[in-house]
Amino acid sequence: MAHPVLALATAAVTAAGCVWYLPALADLRAGADRPVSRRMRAASCVTAWATAATVGVLLLTTNPWTWPAAAAATGTLPALALLISSALHHSRETREAATHWTDLAPTRPPPTSDRTRYVVAALLTTGLTTATVIGALRLAENPDTPTAWLTTITTPAAILTLFITLAATHTHHRHPH
């Protein structure tokens, strides 16, 4: 597939992603008015979308697949680190809030913690990161046959499908309806 076609697709997806990165920018601008976990999650979102925009520009300006693939992998790692750190901060903030509520109403037991959200987020993030890195590596190999292109597309899709299935299975077993 030609670089300009992928650059156009990346630009379209990045433009459509404004529903995520514009509110994230607002959270970052709010500063201390937002909890640390929310600002870190917003920074992760902005980093991921900035990575997509960078990859789009690199697809237009460079010929080999190496630079866009390296940019995708390099941008995904800090976004993932910020997302994991955000989840840890959120967990700490939730425990702290539960402690404060327990201090205010000691006769009520603190709410039970449901970690399903974090497990699903970790599974989806891991699957997306793995699929991105595998896809970037496959593109860096410069596939030139239809079979190579097919495996370049289907391998990351299969990996992502596996992790989505794991997340859905965990949610279903945790909350059967």
Side-chain angles (χ1 to χ4, degrees):
M1 189 173 295
H3 282 227
V5 174
L6 288 176
L8 179 63
T10 303
V13 169
T14 303
C18 69
V19 297
W20 288 289
Y21 61 76
L22 289 179
L25 286 171
D27 283 344
L28 290 174
R29 276 194 62 130
D33 288 345
R34 301 288 191 271
V36 173
S37 63
R38 188 165 171 178
R39 291 190 315 247
M40 291 181 89
R41 188 172 55 239
S44 172
C45 177
V46 170
T47 301
W49 285 106
T51 299
T54 302
V55 168
V57 169
L58 288 172
L59 284 169
L60 280 177
T61 58
T62 62
N63 192 18
W65 289 99
T66 310
W67 290 108
T74 303
T76 301
L77 294 176
L80 177 62
L82 284 167
L83 188 62
I84 291 169
S85 183
S86 168
L88 294 173
H89 276 281
H90 181 73
S91 177
R92 190 175 317 131
E93 291 165 356
T94 302
R95 282 193 309 271
E96 184 179 323
T99 302
H100 290 304
W101 281 106
T102 302
D103 291 344
L104 291 173
T107 57
R108 288 174 75 191
T112 58
S113 176
D114 183 16
R115 299 208 181 265
T116 301
R117 172 180 165 179
Y118 303 115
V119 172
V120 169
L123 285 169
L124 293 178
T125 303
T126 303
L128 186 58
T129 302
T130 305
T132 300
V133 170
I134 296 293
L137 291 174
R138 296 285 303 162
L139 284 174
E141 293 174 356
N142 199 11
D144 55 357
T145 64
T147 305
W149 273 107
L150 182 65
T151 59
T152 299
I153 294 168
T154 57
T155 302
I159 291 169
L160 189 56
T161 301
L162 171 69
F163 279 93
I164 289 172
T165 303
L166 289 172
T169 302
H170 177 77
T171 304
H172 179 71
H173 288 302
R174 185 76 178 162
H175 301 288
H177 287 111

